[in-house]
Amino acid sequence: MVTIEQSTIINRPIEEVFAYVSDQRNSPQWQDGVVDVQQSPESPVGVGTKVTLVRVFLGRRLEQHAEVVAYEPPTRYAFASTSGPSTTGTNRFEATAEGTKVTIAFEMQAGGLFSLAEPLVARNLRRSVEAALGNLKDLLESRAVEAPS
């Protein structure tokens, strides 16, 4: 079992950060390796929304189907896989004096070829989450600077 939990502070309001992250169609903009996202229904996001996410990980193209299992704006968004590796994830959002603390936590049961290389998978996933949080922070904070006053 691979378990990961990482956080960062983004200098943006909690509602803005939650809305952006909980719309999985934004994932290719801040998560390296995500090449396509389909969401049904298109909008609004809520419990029961289905997501198909295609990513390249460790040189392999992976398609994962998931369903939103918790949607509590602006503090919590969670999903569970419905195909592929058994994965559950929770994104938590907390208002702070500096902006919004975002915590990404998930568990994955590595299967197939990945189960043989679980330590490698875990290390790469941790790096991927760390990079994604950095990308998210840079993206949302730079959009705030670009916005007209």
Side-chain angles (χ1 to χ4, degrees):
M1 173 80 65
V2 176
T3 303
I4 295 174
E5 183 168 324
Q6 294 186 13
S7 301
T8 194
I9 303 284
I10 299 175
N11 187 15
R12 300 301 305 140
I14 190 172
E15 293 82 8
E16 178 184 331
V17 177
F18 179 88
Y20 187 82
V21 173
S22 65
D23 185 341
Q24 288 289 308
R25 294 168 296 184
N26 293 321
S27 297
Q29 297 173 27
W30 61 280
Q31 294 182 36
D32 293 337
V34 175
V35 295
D36 188 39
V37 177
Q38 300 296 316
Q39 179 176 295
S40 175
E42 285 289 318
S43 293
V45 176
V47 171
T49 297
K50 304 220 183 321
V51 176
T52 300
L53 189 130
V54 179
R55 73 170 64 236
V56 175
F57 183 71
L58 295 176
R60 293 183 53 135
R61 186 177 198 275
L62 304 172
E63 181 172 306
Q64 183 175 34
H65 301 273
E67 183 172 331
V68 176
V69 295
Y71 187 78
E72 302 164 12
T75 60
R76 186 170 173 260
Y77 168 84
F79 66 90
S81 64
T82 57
S83 74
S86 176
T87 306
T88 57
T90 301
N91 298 320
R92 295 186 311 272
F93 306 83
E94 179 184 341
T96 68
E98 299 85 18
T100 303
K101 179 179 180 183
V102 179
T103 301
I104 294 177
F106 69 91
E107 292 183 347
M108 181 181 85
Q109 183 65 49
L113 293 174
F114 289 128
S115 64
L116 298 174
E118 191 170 289
L120 175 65
V121 170
R123 184 171 54 250
N124 278 294
L125 281 172
R126 281 187 190 87
R127 287 180 187 157
S128 179
V129 170
E130 183 178 342
L133 284 170
N135 293 341
L136 181 64
K137 178 179 177 63
D138 291 346
L139 177 69
L140 293 181
E141 289 180 356
S142 71
R143 286 175 44 175
V145 171
E146 295 170 5
S149 307

